Amino acid sequence: MKKKLLMVITAMMTIFVLAACGTDDEKSTGSDKKVLKVGMEAGYAPFNWSQKGDSNGGVPIDGSKEYAAGYDVEIAKKIAEGLDMELKVVKTDWDGLIPSLQSGAIDLVIAGMSPMPDRKEAIDFTENYYTSDYVIVVKEDGPYANATSLSDFSGAKITGQQATTHYDVIDQIEGVNKQVAATDFGAMRVQLQSGAIDGYVSERPEGISAEMALNNIKYIVPEPNFEADEASTAVAVGLKKGSDLREQINKVLAEISEEERQQLMEDAIANQPAAQ
């Protein structure tokens, strides 16, 4: 009798140990699905931002009490669903996205990143999931509020986010007073409102976002616009070199119609937090 009781206790302990030995990813999601770790800044509205709760389709940020939401998050959810994987958002500084991808800390970059040639040397990209154009964000009552062309910004203090095409194209403005690159869009918005800069280069969705979120801010689409190829105004999913997920993700993206992509962006712009 004692022997049988001992065998039962041993079996129960074995089951308990095996249950406790699941991977961190399995325990954190409560799912048997493989985890898809997606890196983004969570600070580039309307593509991605941080918020307190799960409204507007927010997804928990790994290791944080905050949630990520926005256009990139919606695309990430569709990709995770298409791959039958569990989405995990990993908040990562812009400069750390590619190194994190290369090291395996994340599986994908979905962060409004353009598939530029220099980046393609380091990582692979999927087909584009959004294409936009450049704008210059200024103060409504500032000295460049009525500017319409690039030449109108001669002498203006203009900046852009570091390590982006936004910053590179500033050189196309003759006579511009190019400022030190900013780390993120939040910093540039503060600089603009304080008068430290006259404007910053961005893409249309972010320009619309800034105009809606902040008082006394507007965006200008210069005509003619900055010279740039499609790769610099499009955004795609970044993957580790040789990743076998590329073809599968392209199939998922191909099923998202242009109308749905535009609707997702419109919703993201409408839902963005005012503080972004």
Side-chain angles (χ1 to χ4, degrees), residues 69-84:
Y71 184 80
D72 288 332
V73 175
E74 295 304 312
I75 295 296
K77 288 196 286 189
K78 288 183 176 296
I79 290 172
E81 181 181 359
L83 298 177
D84 193 28

Side-chain angles (χ1 to χ4, degrees), residues 59-256:
V59 173
I61 295 174
D62 186 46
S64 169
K65 294 182 179 179
E66 292 188 311
Y67 291 73
Y71 184 80
D72 288 332
V73 175
E74 295 304 312
I75 295 296
K77 288 196 286 189
K78 288 183 176 296
I79 290 172
E81 181 181 359
L83 298 177
D84 193 28
M85 298 178 73
E86 193 79 18
L87 175 62
K88 176 186 287 187
V89 173
V90 182
K91 187 172 182 178
T92 310
D93 289 341
W94 178 262
D95 286 346
L97 286 169
I98 290 179
S100 294
L101 187 60
Q102 292 172 320
S103 71
I106 57 176
D107 301 310
L108 304 175
V109 171
I110 306 181
M113 182 175 283
S114 300
M116 298 299 292
D118 59 333
R119 292 179 184 146
K120 285 184 174 181
E121 293 179 4
I123 63 175
D124 286 340
F125 284 95
T126 64
E127 297 296 326
N128 301 334
Y129 65 86
Y130 193 79
T131 301
S132 185
D133 54 3
Y134 291 118
V135 300
I136 301 178
V137 181
V138 300
K139 292 184 72 172
E140 252 182 359
D141 59 356
Y144 298 93
N146 297 318
T148 59
S149 66
L150 292 179
S151 60
D152 290 337
F153 287 94
S154 178
K157 295 179 290 184
I158 305 294
T159 190
Q161 188 180 28
Q162 63 187 17
T164 67
T165 56
H166 305 159
Y167 191 67
D168 296 338
V169 298
I170 295 173
D171 295 328
Q172 296 180 29
I173 305 174
E174 187 174 351
V176 71
N177 186 356
K178 189 175 184 180
Q179 302 294 291
V180 174
T183 56
D184 55 58
F185 282 84
M188 288 188 289
R189 290 182 178 186
V190 170
Q191 286 180 293
L192 180 59
Q193 289 181 304
S194 70
I197 59 173
D198 296 312
Y200 65 85
V201 177
S202 184
E203 293 176 57
R204 191 186 294 260
E206 196 281 332
I208 297 173
S209 169
E211 188 172 289
M212 291 180 62
L214 304 170
N215 294 326
N216 200 32
I217 296 296
K218 64 180 288 187
Y219 72 93
I220 294 170
V221 183
E223 294 292 344
N225 210 317
F226 294 99
E227 294 180 7
D229 57 25
E230 184 180 332
S232 63
T233 55
V235 293
V237 179
L239 313 92
K240 194 172 183 178
K241 276 289 186 183
S243 172
D244 56 6
L245 292 177
R246 185 174 184 275
E247 185 175 345
Q248 298 175 61
I249 293 174
N250 279 336
K251 288 181 180 178
V252 175
L253 294 177
E255 294 176 356
I256 308 174

